[in-house]
Amino acid sequence: MAIFQESAAEQAGAPRCTHFGGLKEKVCPASMLSLTTSHQLFYQRTVAVSGYVKEVDSHFYLFTSKEFADNFSMADSILLMGQVALLKGKAGSWVTLVGIFEPLGSLDYTDDIFRPIAKLNVQLVR
């Protein structure tokens, strides 16, 4: 019984991932809330996440909601990289994206304290 409880506790922190859409890697469904609050659990994983896309200064970002996007709540956003051409015509709408979730890294450092929490290397747009 103790072994089962330990195993369940270990798995509680791990994302649930499965095969999806013919992609090689397993995809972990995630909410914007889980990505913003527990981003370390998802780094270097392929995730599926829904959110509101907005273009800001020639870059695409995923926000929790239209209200967050309209208020430029960058600290709650994800910078979209990779196949952003797939987002053509999607700015200002709610979308589901699949991509590799990555930390911003030291090269993405700016003096702006309100920067995105991470970046998503977009592979698929739904």
Side-chain angles (χ1 to χ4, degrees), residues 38-107:
S38 303
H39 44 91
Q40 298 89 348
L41 291 175
F42 295 94
Y43 283 159
Q44 305 307 324
R45 293 182 185 266
T46 301
V47 300
V49 60
S50 296
Y52 189 84
V53 173
K54 183 169 184 161
E55 189 173 359
V56 179
D57 296 329
S58 301
H59 295 286
F60 287 98
Y61 294 87
L62 191 67
F63 290 89
T64 305
S65 67
K66 181 181 184 316
E67 291 76 20
F68 278 68
D70 289 346
N71 290 313
F72 297 97
S73 182
M74 302 308 286
D76 299 308
S77 72
I78 297 171
L79 175 63
L80 302 177
M81 308 293 289
Q83 297 183 36
V84 292
L86 297 173
L87 295 169
K88 185 175 177 128
K90 304 280 186 186
S93 63
W94 189 265
V95 297
T96 299
L97 303 173
V98 176
I100 299 171
F101 190 71
E102 302 172 347
L104 285 179
S106 60
L107 295 177

Side-chain angles (χ1 to χ4, degrees), residues 12-30:
R16 177 184 49 92
C17 306
T18 187
H19 293 286
F20 173 78
L23 296 171
K24 278 182 167 181
E25 310 85 16
K26 287 186 175 182
V27 177
C28 309

Side-chain angles (χ1 to χ4, degrees), residues 1-14:
M1 182 72 148
I3 292 173
F4 174 75
Q5 288 175 340
E6 241 178 69
S7 176
E10 285 175 12
Q11 292 178 0

